[in-house]
Structures are given as structure tokens and as C-alpha cells.
Amino acid sequence: TVPVGFSGGIGTAVLEEVPDGTVNLSAKMAWNLRRRLPAVLDVTGQGVVSFTGAAQLPGGDLNGNNLINSGDYNLLSFSFPGVNPVADITGNGVVNSGDYNILVLNWLTAGDPP
């Protein structure tokens, strides 16, 4: 587990001492599904993996089981509308239609394995 720092809406993390032979890196945050991408390292062992665009972490996994389904919907519906960090997918401080729309967009989606 590595902390992610945010600046200008972009999160970055530094992984040190990545083992030789690493072929994938995965990311999972609260409210999101896991995404696993190929790790391309240069000769110094440094590389960049970008979880943006089509590789963005899908939002809506409120219960942390790496699947967006009725369990997540139930958590959202108990908090809707209101203020509850457990169901605030957008991170804007309130549970509202923005959070609901993200959950619906990713309904019945599973994340990548670790």
C-alpha cells in the first residue's frame, strides 16, 4: 500500500524497489474498482503507469469488494441525499446525483484481480 499525493486533480505515487520481473501494477482506492495495467520499466527500473482516460479507476465500489452491485447501491441509498464520506464517490463532500450517476454508469462492473 502506497499513499497517493494529489496536485491539480492528478494523483501520483512513487514505488521504490520494485522487484525485477514486475509485469503489472494495480491500483485500487476507496470507492473505485481495481485496475491492473502493464508495467513498462526503463533500464534504471523507473516507469510510469497512467490510470487516466480509458484506464481510469471506475467509481462506485462503496463496500470494497471490487464489484459494483446491490451492496454498493444500498450504501448509497441509505446516504442519499446527504453528507456521508462512505458514499461520496465524487469526493465533493455530499452524496447526491453525481455519486448516483457514477454508480449507475459502472453498474455490475468488476475490477481487475490484484
Side-chain angles (χ1 to χ4, degrees):
T1 301
V2 177
V4 177
F6 287 90
S7 176
I10 297 174
T12 58
V14 176
L15 303 177
E16 298 179 357
E17 300 179 24
V18 176
D20 290 339
T22 298
V23 295
N24 293 302
L25 291 175
S26 67
K28 178 162 182 10
M29 299 177 68
W31 309 285
N32 295 89
L33 297 174
R34 177 178 308 283
R35 182 77 74 183
R36 184 175 63 187
L37 297 176
V40 180
L41 305 177
D42 64 17
V43 294
T44 65
Q46 295 182 344
V48 174
V49 175
S50 181
F51 294 96
T52 60
Q56 185 175 1
L57 305 180
D61 181 21
L62 302 178
N63 61 11
N65 68 350
N66 207 29
L67 174 67
I68 299 172
N69 61 13
S70 59
D72 305 297
Y73 177 81
N74 290 337
L75 286 170
L76 183 74
S77 68
F78 291 137
S79 302
F80 187 91
V83 178
N84 185 346
V86 171
D88 182 15
I89 300 167
T90 62
N92 67 354
V94 294
V95 179
N96 59 20
S97 61
D99 304 294
Y100 175 80
N101 290 338
I102 291 171
L103 188 137
V104 169
L105 176 69
N106 296 313
W107 184 250
L108 296 181
T109 302
D112 295 335

